[in-house]
Amino acid sequence: MVDTVIKNAQILDGTGGEAFAGDIAIHQGKIVAVGRVAETAAQLINAEGLHAAPGLIDVHGHSDMFAFADPDRASKLCQGVTTEICGQCGLGPAPTSEAFYPHYENYFKSQGAPIYPQSRSFTSFGAYLDFMEGLPLGINMAYFIPHGTVRMAVMGLSPQKADAGQLEQMRQLVREGMEKGALGLSSGLMYAPGMFADQDELAALCEVVGQYGGIYTSHIRNQGSLLEQCVADTIEAARRGGARVNISHHKASGKGNWGKVKNTIRMIHEAGFPAMHDVYPYAASSTMIRSTLPPKVQKMEQADIMAYLSNTNNHAELKQDIFHPDDSFESPLEDCGYDGILIIEAAKTKDAVGKTISQYAEALGTDPFDAFIKLVVENNLGVGYIGFSMSEDDVDTLVADPLCMFGTDGLYIPGMEMTHPRAIGTFPRILGHYVREKGVLPLAEAIRKMTSLPARFYGLAGKGLLKVGMDADVVVFNAATVADHADYRQPLLPNEGVHTVLVNGQRQVAADKPCGGRAGKLLRASFQS
């Protein structure tokens, strides 16, 4: 007898091949048979009329910031996600340092991220991974070392060029993390303190990553007017260091830049070494309001930012920097306009949530810039927003590309009233909207790009295929009905059509609903030096 048999499924094994009829037998967390299974089982799951696929891999998530507060990760499981790759955009819980811990704590609190009670003890990335390994998890989690957090541990929020000693300290922190099983290094070059790093610093850290066969993934410096140059810079930093490379949440921001993704996709295909990219299937981004401030403001201490913004004598200069930026700053407010910034988090000004800056200004009877300043100051930077600056045609182009994987890039824990719908609906949206409704890519190819493609690129042993001996991460879904319902105004509406999700052989979703259990594991890379 085995533990579980999934009967009468249309099996998409993750290779990109067409579906075939069959059963899947699971025992002790592993797949032990695929085909026709006559063996009895303690649990029988009838998948008549449904498809079975490997558990989906979210290649760009931020659950590392919330895992201790929401270890179940039901918002991922109900999309069919069984594995998430975290530590993205250069920011994450570790490593910390005693010298700059106040900078770390103030920074992440201003971003709305909860601080782990144990954060002071995460002085190496390995210490953080060891902690996570002991935490019951609803999904599997693998990690990048976040460059911005590494830099903060060594230099705080200093905008200065790293000297030789500081660079060596950063290299040692990255080396330790790679030794302990990190996938590579992530950067967030739109955010402080990552924005202060130059190409030499990034290449030097990529050199350590490359020694372990790891990956450099980047939220690039500018996704608008300098998109092509910044993709080229990212590829070159990885090439110099001998690392593989990934462009995070690939997009072109600002109407004048739409269509450039065709060039940047070509650059990725022509890199000459392993290069990939990922996308979320929405034409709107989301982040924290700090990103709308020019670099010279972002580099300030929290209290100094508040003082600068509160002083009306600075407002003319600030407007100039925001709406007429130089090449060092991709300005979200310039790209989106006041009408294109939708507030989704603002604890001190709750009347702003669900409104654009223009709508909030109208409600207040004030100028949009003054409403913007009020939001930022009264919430002490703790404002989250959705920005509308992207092209649906570009999203179609990215979703269809054979080297493009999928990620939620979402922030959600139960109790939140608003978030970007990508946190809830990304993977059902691919399967429903982009596969079934628009025909942007075939179903079997979509599953390959959600499973075996990222598993192979990120070195996730045992994941991504429905084959004998693989981990029993399985999603059973209805291809005819699977759909997302979350939208920008109602982002918490549940998906439909995700029938069953098993993580390491344990059923954690049944009939679209989470059913408890925490069978996820910390995944460590095993790159060879």
Side-chain angles (χ1 to χ4, degrees):
M1 176 182 283
V2 297
D3 295 332
T4 301
V5 171
I6 300 170
K7 294 288 290 184
N8 305 316
Q10 289 295 309
I11 297 173
L12 290 160
D13 62 10
T15 63
E18 292 303 312
F20 58 91
D23 313 323
I24 303 166
I26 295 164
H27 191 62
Q28 295 182 350
K30 299 288 184 180
I31 296 171
V32 295
V34 177
R36 288 301 176 190
V37 176
E39 199 164 357
T40 58
Q43 175 179 234
L44 183 66
I45 297 172
N46 182 12
E48 184 74 39
L50 305 175
H51 283 77
L56 310 182
I57 299 172
D58 179 354
V59 303
H60 188 109
H62 290 280
S63 289
D64 48 334
M65 300 306 299
F66 300 95
F68 81 102
D70 177 31
D72 292 339
R73 306 313 289 145
S75 62
K76 296 298 175 76
L77 288 166
C78 289
Q79 298 182 55
V81 169
T82 59
T83 296
E84 179 179 330
I85 298 175
C86 303
Q88 303 285 356
C89 298
L91 296 169
T96 63
S97 69
E98 191 60 36
F100 292 107
Y101 189 78
H103 297 244
Y104 168 96
E105 189 171 45
N106 289 336
Y107 183 91
F108 282 107
K109 283 182 177 178
S110 77
Q111 298 296 301
I115 303 294
Y116 282 66
Q118 301 84 357
S119 289
R120 278 189 188 271
S121 67
F122 298 155
T123 54
S124 69
F125 202 71
Y128 168 66
L129 293 181
D130 289 345
F131 171 81
M132 291 304 299
E133 195 159 42
L135 189 69
L137 300 170
I139 58 175
N140 305 306
M141 295 173 69
Y143 288 88
F144 278 98
I145 305 161
H147 162 258
T149 309
V150 168
R151 199 176 207 271
M152 205 181 306
V154 174
M155 301 177 63
L157 292 172
S158 170
Q160 301 303 312
K161 179 180 175 68
D163 63 29
Q166 291 166 331
L167 185 56
E168 184 54 33
Q169 288 182 63
M170 284 190 264
R171 283 168 58 90
Q172 289 297 336
L173 287 170
V174 172
R175 182 173 290 108
E176 186 276 341
M178 294 302 295
E179 290 280 356
K180 295 295 186 179
L183 302 180
L185 182 76
S186 80
S187 67
L189 304 182
M190 184 180 171
Y191 306 115
M195 62 170 53
F196 308 130
D198 60 17
Q199 277 288 93
D200 289 340
E201 177 179 318
L202 296 169
L205 299 179
C206 284
E207 183 179 21
V208 178
V209 171
Q211 291 169 2
Y212 295 85
I215 300 152
Y216 173 49
T217 187
S218 183
H219 178 146
I220 60 177
R221 205 174 297 274
N222 184 301
Q223 299 169 120
S225 61
L226 299 181
L227 173 65
E228 291 146 314
Q229 182 59 53
C230 290
V231 169
D233 288 346
T234 300
I235 292 171
E236 184 58 23
R239 189 197 315 277
R240 285 173 59 185
R244 293 178 285 155
V245 71
N246 180 71
I247 305 299
S248 294
H249 41 59
H250 196 174
K251 65 173 75 70
S253 295
K255 190 170 184 179
N257 302 304
W258 293 355
K260 287 183 178 180
V261 297
K262 293 177 182 177
N263 293 331
T264 48
I265 287 172
R266 176 185 51 77
M267 293 162 65
I268 291 166
H269 280 259
E270 295 176 357
F273 64 101
M276 302 284 284
H277 55 137
D278 62 68
V279 69
Y280 48 78
Y282 298 85
S285 60
S286 182
T287 189
M288 300 302 291
I289 207 75
R290 187 179 186 127
S291 69
T292 64
L293 302 176
K296 69 182 183 185
V297 179
Q298 290 202 45
K299 73 181 181 183
M300 297 176 184
E301 298 289 345
Q302 184 97 349
D304 294 332
I305 294 177
M306 293 298 102
Y308 178 87
L309 296 177
S310 300
N311 187 341
T312 56
N313 292 331
N314 297 322
H315 288 182
E317 176 186 69
L318 183 61
K319 280 185 182 179
Q320 178 68 24
D321 291 342
I322 287 174
F323 291 102
H324 303 280
D326 61 26
D327 288 346
S328 69
F329 179 44
E330 178 196 337
S331 174
L333 259 177
E334 183 199 29
D335 286 343
C336 301
Y338 295 120
D339 292 331
I341 298 284
L342 175 68
I343 305 305
I344 59 172
E345 180 184 350
K348 302 296 185 182
T349 55
K350 288 186 177 294
D351 54 332
V353 174
K355 296 183 177 73
T356 66
I357 293 176
S358 291
Q359 290 168 337
Y360 184 51
E362 184 177 353
L364 294 175
T366 192
D367 176 80
F369 184 80
D370 293 336
F372 165 71
I373 294 295
K374 174 182 170 67
L375 273 169
V376 178
V377 172
E378 292 195 11
N379 290 282
N380 201 29
L381 294 181
V383 178
Y385 73 88
I386 293 173
F388 296 87
S389 66
M390 298 157 59
S391 158
E392 294 282 2
D393 288 343
D394 280 357
V395 176
D396 288 356
T397 299
L398 291 161
V399 165
D401 185 67
L403 295 182
C404 191
M405 304 170 290
F406 305 124
T408 59
D409 193 20
L411 300 172
Y412 176 74
I413 55 174
M416 283 185 176
E417 296 178 6
M418 292 285 286
T419 187
H420 192 299
R422 65 193 182 188
I424 305 296
T426 286
F427 287 86
R429 182 170 176 80
I430 293 287
L431 295 171
H433 183 64
Y434 286 91
V435 171
R436 186 180 64 246
E437 295 174 3
K438 296 187 74 172
V440 171
L441 72 172
L443 177 60
E445 172 65 358
I447 293 298
R448 182 190 74 88
K449 284 154 59 67
M450 295 174 174
T451 58
S452 66
L453 180 65
R456 185 175 69 251
F457 184 67
Y458 289 110
L460 304 178
K463 307 300 181 186
L465 291 169
L466 294 183
K467 300 287 187 184
V468 171
M470 302 295 282
D471 296 337
D473 294 343
V474 185
V475 56
V476 179
F477 66 97
N478 189 330
T481 64
V482 64
D484 66 304
H485 297 296
D487 60 27
Y488 299 112
R489 297 292 179 176
Q490 295 181 290
L492 307 184
L493 295 176
N495 307 308
E496 67 173 296
V498 180
H499 180 274
T500 293
V501 180
L502 293 93
V503 181
N504 295 308
Q506 183 171 316
R507 192 173 189 178
Q508 294 189 205
V509 172
D512 292 318
K513 303 291 185 184
C515 53
R518 297 177 183 171
K521 297 178 180 179
L522 175 80
L523 305 180
R524 297 183 192 252
S526 56
F527 299 128
Q528 299 298 311
S529 58

